[in-house]
Amino acid sequence: MAAESPPVLALDIGGTKLAVGVVTPVGDIRGYIVEPTRKDEGHRKVIRRLFALGQQAIRDAALGPVAAVGISSGGPLDPETGVVMAPLNLPDWIDVPLGHLARAEFGIPAVLVNDATAGMLAEHRYGAARGADIALYLTISTGVGGGAVVHGRLHRGSAGNGGEFGHVMVRPGGRRCTCGRLGCLEAYASGTSIAARARDALEEHGATSPLAALPVVGAEQVVAAARAGDALAVRLWTETTDVIGQAITDLVNTFEPEVVVLGGGVTRAGDLLIQPVRDIVARTGMPLAAASARIEFAELGEAVCVVGAAARAFDYLEEYTLVR
């Protein structure tokens, strides 16, 4: 897409936040807005607010008309029809024709993409995986998702939801995942699951932990307590990095990527996350695969899915032009 091409509007729907922005072909974001999802309101109200935020972003960006709308959402979804089918972090979003609704609202083409796939696309085009022939992306946030670039091309899978790395099995027969299986990576490493594991641990034997005195215990509090040396938090966090490292080792052995990019809110743990994961992969991975794979944090931060949704919209416009 040429740098002088018109911008696109990008909308990202997460379990905890909505994010919107107008994105230029070189990846610059204007009019960026973030608001809580408030998913308990139901999908109709959330979509109305999302579209209102999109209209506001277009006005605030002041770049003129946008050429398309890119929408990032958790899956499963059907990118061909633009239907959000049943995302695990948005319980009442069943068969929502989001692409059709966006086209009607904005009067321009709209394209839907899995949020973790969007993150991979953004980091490959503009971020930490720029230029990589084979790259993987994991977002570790409310849930755990993933995406892959293989031989320079985004891997979307035959049904458009390829790269569900959050549902790699790390503890067979273990904690129940939102997908219904027992022992998925998401059931241990997502921010939601870290908080649930912390609550369970405190109920069992956490009376002496400083976490017991806090009104709310989430991943951020577990990380802070682990950094301070609290034994219960250290145990929780060690299991978290162990399962992430185990899953990434399996993926590195399978794909032999040049880079694995980690994004999402849990990565705010910084060195407390990435160094143990790097050590596990280096120690347990197949030697040649582990030696060739860099493990890096995402460069695009909280806006990664907005940029990725925009990148997918630019690709769609290019494909549409070629077909015509």
Side-chain angles (χ1 to χ4, degrees):
M1 184 64 63
E4 65 272 13
S5 299
V8 298
L9 175 65
L11 313 175
D12 175 41
I13 308 161
T16 57
K17 68 178 177 67
L18 304 175
V20 305
V22 174
V23 183
T24 71
V26 295
D28 291 337
I29 308 175
R30 307 287 179 85
Y32 186 63
I33 308 169
V34 179
E35 270 197 9
T37 304
R38 301 202 292 272
K39 61 185 177 184
D40 293 343
E41 293 180 350
H43 71 271
R44 290 180 177 82
K45 285 188 177 180
V46 173
I47 291 170
R48 281 200 294 271
R49 285 195 296 109
L50 177 71
F51 289 170
L53 291 173
Q55 298 286 12
Q56 182 181 335
I58 293 170
R59 293 192 296 271
D60 292 349
L63 293 176
V66 294
V69 183
I71 310 168
S72 160
S73 171
L77 51 79
D78 186 338
E80 297 302 319
T81 62
V83 173
V84 176
M85 297 166 69
L88 300 177
N89 58 353
L90 296 168
D92 84 320
W93 291 58
I94 309 299
D95 295 333
V96 177
L98 196 55
H100 170 77
L101 295 172
R103 284 190 292 274
E105 170 72 20
F106 297 99
I108 49 179
V111 61
L112 181 65
V113 62
N114 181 284
D115 55 1
T117 305
M120 178 74 269
L121 184 57
E123 287 293 329
H124 185 250
R125 187 161 302 176
Y126 304 111
R130 271 189 307 272
D133 187 49
I134 301 177
L136 306 178
Y137 174 79
L138 272 80
T139 178
I140 311 170
S141 189
T142 306
V144 178
V149 164
V150 179
H151 300 314
R153 296 177 63 85
L154 186 67
H155 172 71
R156 293 204 286 265
S158 59
N161 292 281
E164 287 286 3
F165 299 149
H167 302 288
V168 170
M169 188 69 68
V170 292
R171 293 286 190 271
R175 298 179 69 90
R176 185 168 296 279
C177 183
T178 52
C179 74
R181 297 204 309 163
L182 301 177
C184 292
L185 175 62
E186 183 171 299
Y188 288 85
S190 71
T192 307
S193 298
I194 293 168
R197 287 169 46 229
R199 288 193 297 272
D200 291 348
L202 288 167
E203 285 179 12
E204 288 180 24
H205 38 65
T208 60
S209 170
L211 291 171
L214 299 178
V216 177
V217 177
E220 185 178 354
Q221 289 73 31
V222 171
V223 168
R227 202 180 287 280
D230 173 52
L232 183 142
V234 168
R235 188 164 67 252
L236 286 166
W237 189 249
T238 298
E239 183 175 33
T240 303
T241 55
D242 280 351
V243 296
I244 294 171
Q246 177 184 330
I248 292 176
T249 298
D250 289 346
L251 294 171
V252 164
N253 289 343
T254 302
F255 284 90
E256 289 197 348
E258 295 161 53
V259 60
V260 179
V261 182
L262 305 181
V266 173
T267 64
R268 295 191 194 104
D271 62 312
L272 210 62
L273 171 64
I274 203 164
Q275 199 52 56
V277 168
R278 284 172 172 163
D279 291 344
I280 290 167
V281 175
R283 187 175 68 250
T284 64
M286 298 296 287
L288 291 177
S292 66
R294 294 180 291 113
I295 301 173
E296 307 287 353
F297 284 134
E299 291 183 2
L300 300 174
E302 303 263 339
V304 64
C305 289
V306 168
V307 176
R312 179 66 193 111
F314 286 125
D315 286 352
Y316 175 84
L317 289 172
E318 200 162 277
E319 292 161 9
Y320 178 73
T321 301
L322 289 172
V323 169
R324 290 185 69 191

